[in-house]
Amino acid sequence: LLARGARDVRVLDLAPFPRARPEVTVVRGDVRDASAVARAARGARFIVHAAAALPLSPPAEIHGTTVEGTRVVLAHGEAERVVFVSTTTVYGLHDGDAIDEAHPLRGEGAYARAKIEAERLIEKARDRGRCVSVLRPRPFVGPERLGVFSLLFEWAVEGRAVPVLGEGDNRCQLLDVDDLSDAIARCLEVDAPRASATFNIGAVEVGTMREDLQAVLDRAGHGRRVVGLPAAPLLRALDALHRAGLSPLHPWVYGQLTKTSIVSVDALSRALDVTPARSNADSLVRTFDWYVANQSELRRRPARLDHRAPWRQGALGLAKRCF
């Protein structure tokens, strides 16, 4: 936003915001707190609403942050436009051809259900004349965006092989955080009738799981290869670890590892004149390079379930010894 000429950019966040540029005002607060939102958004023309609790958080926290937080943001009537960052988990697990925005919303679990409920609040706000864009991104990666991908990067740095479930010939679409940022900016630039809609967004160039993960291993330079393992017993093991609280992987994450999961970005390209530029492999390698360059600083960050710090691996930390 700063690069595109925006002035008086402010960030509202519950956690400390790392590496904030001096031009950015950081407001510590909770999106569920109307007074905090008012402090951050006072006089603002635009609000980008990306606050959410991760899928492994308690259901009440997920609902409160996503649904009640969205209600609070929409109640702040000063802004001309709001951009809401939703998720493709609203569609549930699917396998096959690229799906568009008309696909039924069958998301399971507290995270997906909360996003769906928040989108319904947005539909009502549009009916009242508000200009609200909804972006449904695929899982996105990039500098300062780690989360589950920190597990892959740690294994690669240590010279481990990386397993895939089955042959790894399925395609699982990702998104580069810069491409998401570009789309958010375009939602604030195009005319309101085009902006006030819902758009999928994900990489256009998507390799197979085996190809995309191998790109990271090749970058690591240890000569290791992606290893295919039987899918059914491993999925049962991941289910058991999740139920026991011994794995940071949510069922939606490992549930799609054997499926081809892709969304169409045609509506985004038509309405916003923007198309994601980076491939899956490009985004993963770029993020891996950032991870390697910042390992010492990342280790000092407190381990918690957000996307800014490496995740504790739980039982997966023991499993990697086999690779």
Side-chain angles (χ1 to χ4, degrees):
L1 294 175
L2 290 169
R4 296 169 100 104
R7 299 291 182 268
D8 192 13
V9 176
R10 303 173 216 153
V11 172
L12 172 68
D13 208 321
L14 189 63
F17 193 77
R19 302 182 183 181
R21 291 170 56 171
E23 308 97 309
V24 176
T25 300
V26 178
V27 178
R28 288 288 297 277
D30 194 317
V31 72
R32 294 167 287 190
D33 179 353
S35 63
V37 172
R39 286 198 312 275
R42 187 173 293 113
R45 292 181 61 201
F46 309 126
I47 298 175
V48 177
H49 173 27
L54 290 187
L56 289 174
S57 302
E61 183 178 346
I62 292 172
H63 183 275
T65 304
T66 299
V67 180
E68 297 310 316
T70 299
R71 197 187 309 276
V72 170
V73 168
L74 293 174
H76 184 81
E78 294 181 39
E80 295 175 16
R81 300 189 188 189
V82 175
V83 180
F84 176 63
V85 180
S86 185
T87 171
T88 55
T89 64
V90 296
Y91 300 122
L93 293 174
H94 63 279
D95 189 3
D97 295 336
I99 60 175
D100 64 18
E101 293 81 0
H103 191 84
L105 304 187
R106 297 170 176 159
E108 298 180 1
Y111 183 82
R113 288 195 300 268
K115 290 287 191 179
I116 292 170
E117 192 172 343
E119 288 195 22
R120 288 176 179 150
L121 293 176
I122 288 166
E123 290 171 4
K124 293 177 181 177
R126 287 175 180 159
D127 292 341
R128 297 192 298 270
R130 295 293 299 275
C131 177
V132 188
S133 306
V134 174
L135 293 172
R136 292 174 178 164
R138 291 292 300 163
F140 49 97
V141 295
E144 292 289 353
R145 178 77 184 181
L146 281 173
V148 67
F149 297 101
S150 66
L151 311 184
L152 163 65
F153 298 153
E154 182 176 318
W155 287 38
V157 164
E158 294 179 359
R160 312 277 182 180
V162 171
V164 291
L165 305 186
E167 295 300 319
D169 55 1
N170 59 305
R171 295 188 299 152
C172 191
Q173 185 183 32
L174 300 175
L175 174 65
D176 193 278
V177 70
D178 281 1
D179 287 324
L180 175 59
S181 297
D182 285 344
I184 289 171
R186 286 297 290 160
C187 288
L188 306 179
E189 294 168 347
V190 302
D191 57 88
R194 285 195 291 164
S196 194
T198 298
F199 306 104
N200 292 332
I201 179 167
V204 173
E205 185 179 341
V206 181
T208 66
M209 285 284 291
R210 182 178 289 273
E211 290 168 342
D212 289 339
L213 296 179
Q214 188 60 51
V216 175
L217 293 183
D218 290 346
R219 188 67 157 198
H222 297 290
R224 303 310 299 267
R225 307 294 299 174
V226 172
V227 178
L229 298 175
L234 281 179
L235 286 172
R236 288 195 295 269
L238 288 169
D239 257 335
L241 291 173
H242 171 70
R243 289 194 300 270
L246 298 176
S247 168
L249 298 183
H250 188 271
W252 188 84
V253 173
Y254 58 78
Q256 64 180 331
L257 293 180
T258 60
K259 303 180 185 300
T260 289
S261 186
I262 296 175
V263 296
S264 168
V265 299
D266 290 347
L268 177 91
S269 299
R270 287 194 303 268
L272 303 184
D273 300 322
V274 63
T275 301
R278 293 185 185 271
S279 68
N280 269 16
D282 288 342
S283 300
L284 285 170
V285 169
R286 182 172 90 101
T287 312
F288 176 72
D289 287 345
W290 173 83
Y291 172 86
V292 171
N294 292 275
Q295 280 185 90
S296 58
E297 191 265 333
L298 288 169
R299 290 193 193 101
R300 294 194 297 271
R301 295 186 184 180
R304 57 176 181 257
L305 280 178
D306 67 18
H307 288 288
R308 296 176 187 156
W311 285 6
R312 290 195 181 100
Q313 300 201 16
L316 300 180
L318 299 176
K320 74 178 179 180
R321 298 177 184 178
C322 302
F323 296 91

